[in-house]
Amino acid sequence: MNTPLLEVKDLQTYFFSKHETVKAVDGVSFTVNEQETFGLVGESGCGKSMTCRSILGLVKSPGRVVGGEILYKGDDLLHKSKREMQAIRGREIGMIFQEPMTALNPLLKVKDQIIDALDKSIYNTAEKRYNHALEMLKLVGIPSPESRLEEYPHQFSGGMRQRVMIAIALCSGLKLLLADEPTTALDVTIQDQVMKLINRLRDQLKMSVILITHDLGVVAQMCDRVAVMYAGQIVEMTDTRTLFHMPRHPYTYALMSSLPGAAGSSQKRLPTIEGAPPNLANLPEGCPFAPRCRFAQDICRKEKPELLPYEGDVAHLVRCHIRDGRTQFVGATAKGKQEGGAEQ
Ligand SMILES: Nc1ncnc2c1ncn2[C@@H]1O[C@H](COP(=O)(O)OP(=O)(O)OP(=O)(O)O)[C@@H](O)[C@H]1O
Ligand SMILES: [Mg+2]
């Protein structure tokens, strides 16, 4: 099923201060198809959350979307009014965050928080609203939903709170769910349950999901396609299988090769790569990854690479002058040492 639901084109979201401009999202383009789970990965600060916030119209000052298009069902969300965006957030696109406790109101019963999220023109009687709230708790697998509706957030465990958040996000027949590290604060078994729930809901409700995660195991389990971000840009984008088996960008390659190989191994979190992430207000002249790249050559330090199809495959995009994850990298290392030696 390859009908695009969302098309993000050349999105730019910057933060402005007196002294500098931080390019948090710097020309990001991707498509999310109907009923697909699209993953966004990359180290802390690379622009994943800002990409999602831009889609929802939730970037706060001093940040601003300064360019690009966000086509949802063909309509540019960047041209919608605040009110229209509110309606879209309520009916079409929902978001769940890492820490549900901060997003839930501790003083309100769960029932009232779900009901608050309902469209009152559709659920126009108290009975309809109550029944829908009940149905939502059942949908997300909360046991004894009748009595749970009358409870407050602190009476729920972390995993159950995240289920409540998902129920709230799903209140109005969602088409697209943005999940920003939805399980990071939860322990491993609960993480797995919440991911399975998101998978089941995606199929049952025929929705699409954008999943931000630090966990490559979750990427493998959940995502159809993945974009790897670095310094506010997508550096590689392809289907999940290709990403794991034939990574072509040195950053992806570094992520994958520092995994201890075997499937089902316990280290699944995004490995740390040597060197510091770049300063987004003062990016180097060439490729932002070059200072940390084992394979960098002269051109990498001088010219910014474009995101281009790998060997003509438009479904596999790579932003790299060298552009080969394994075979050529071996040669490139030796060559890079000869050429790059004097320059370092
Ligand atoms: N309020 C702010 N003022 C200035 N810069 C900001 C602000 N919020 C975010 N940024 C910049 O935007 C960049 C991207 O932030 P974002 O939250 O999207 O990162 P992320 O990829 O979601 O990271 P994490 O994995 O830690 O959640 C940050 O590196 C930071 O430089
Ligand atoms: Mg984030």
Side-chain angles (χ1 to χ4, degrees), residues 188-205:
V188 180
T189 3
I190 311 290
Q191 276 183 23
D192 193 49
Q193 288 170 10
V194 172
M195 286 302 163
K196 288 202 170 103
L197 169 68
I198 293 176
N199 247 346
R200 172 168 70 74
L201 292 170
R202 181 193 73 164
D203 294 344
Q204 206 171 334
L205 306 176

Side-chain angles (χ1 to χ4, degrees), residues 48-50 180-181 212:
K48 305 178 299 291
S49 298
M50 283 306 149
D180 192 348
E181 308 208 27
I212 294 180

Side-chain angles (χ1 to χ4, degrees), residues 15 22 24 42-51 62 181 214 280:
F15 283 86
V22 174
E43 68 193 340
S44 189
C46 71
K48 305 178 299 291
S49 298
M50 283 306 149
T51 300
E181 308 208 27
H214 273 115
L280 298 183

Side-chain angles (χ1 to χ4, degrees), residues 6-263:
L6 181 81
E7 291 174 84
V8 175
K9 293 185 182 175
D10 199 21
L11 178 69
Q12 292 157 302
T13 303
Y14 294 177
F15 283 86
F16 296 93
S17 74
K18 250 189 192 161
H19 310 290
E20 58 180 26
T21 300
V22 174
K23 296 182 174 179
V25 181
D26 190 12
V28 163
S29 304
F30 62 89
T31 298
V32 181
N33 295 318
E34 301 230 345
Q35 298 184 50
E36 147 175 270
T37 301
F38 181 78
L40 273 182
V41 294
E43 68 193 340
S44 189
C46 71
K48 305 178 299 291
S49 298
M50 283 306 149
T51 300
C52 281
R53 288 188 158 272
S54 305
I55 294 169
L56 282 173
L58 292 177
V59 176
K60 292 197 185 103
S61 176
R64 194 154 37 93
V65 176
V66 294
E69 292 171 71
I70 300 173
L71 304 178
Y72 176 72
K73 294 180 179 169
D75 252 4
D76 194 344
L77 297 184
L78 295 176
H79 294 151
K80 301 273 177 205
S81 67
K82 270 196 177 153
R83 231 174 123 189
E84 286 170 324
M85 276 315 290
Q86 244 166 11
I88 286 168
R89 284 199 295 269
R91 288 183 205 147
E92 304 267 340
I93 309 177
M95 185 150 179
I96 47 173
F97 299 93
Q98 185 172 337
E99 186 28 85
M101 205 50 198
T102 55
L104 290 169
N105 183 338
L107 303 175
L108 279 185
K109 284 181 183 174
V110 159
K111 175 178 74 181
D112 297 322
Q113 304 198 46
I114 299 179
I115 286 175
D116 269 354
L118 291 177
D119 185 334
K120 307 292 180 295
S121 63
I122 300 170
Y123 301 95
N124 52 7
T125 66
E127 193 189 352
K128 278 186 198 166
R129 290 194 279 273
Y130 177 85
N131 287 339
H132 192 70
L134 188 60
E135 205 179 299
M136 285 293 117
L137 278 202
K138 283 185 190 158
L139 185 68
V140 297
I142 293 185
S144 326
E146 285 89 351
S147 55
R148 289 303 227 163
L149 274 179
E150 306 300 329
E151 291 180 359
Y152 293 87
H154 72 265
Q155 294 170 283
F156 287 71
S157 66
M160 286 295 156
R161 273 203 289 270
Q162 195 54 292
R163 283 172 195 261
V164 171
M165 279 311 299
I166 295 171
I168 292 174
L170 293 177
C171 261
S172 318
L174 273 189
K175 289 295 292 173
L176 175 63
L177 179 68
L178 309 186
D180 192 348
E181 308 208 27
T183 59
T184 311
L186 306 174
D187 75 47
V188 180
T189 3
I190 311 290
Q191 276 183 23
D192 193 49
Q193 288 170 10
V194 172
M195 286 302 163
K196 288 202 170 103
L197 169 68
I198 293 176
N199 247 346
R200 172 168 70 74
L201 292 170
R202 181 193 73 164
D203 294 344
Q204 206 171 334
L205 306 176
K206 303 199 186 313
M207 58 178 189
S208 308
V209 178
I210 298 180
L211 180 67
I212 294 180
T213 178
H214 273 115
D215 188 330
L216 293 170
V218 166
V219 173
Q221 177 196 343
M222 299 279 294
C223 298
D224 299 299
R225 287 187 307 124
V226 190
V228 179
M229 288 188 70
Y230 190 82
Q233 297 188 316
I234 291 177
V235 295
E236 182 157 10
M237 179 158 59
T238 183
D239 62 276
T240 306
R241 203 187 143 70
T242 307
L243 193 86
F244 278 83
H245 290 95
M246 283 188 292
R248 296 304 186 191
H249 191 283
Y251 176 62
T252 322
Y253 183 64
L255 289 180
M256 296 301 169
S257 56
S258 38
L259 285 177

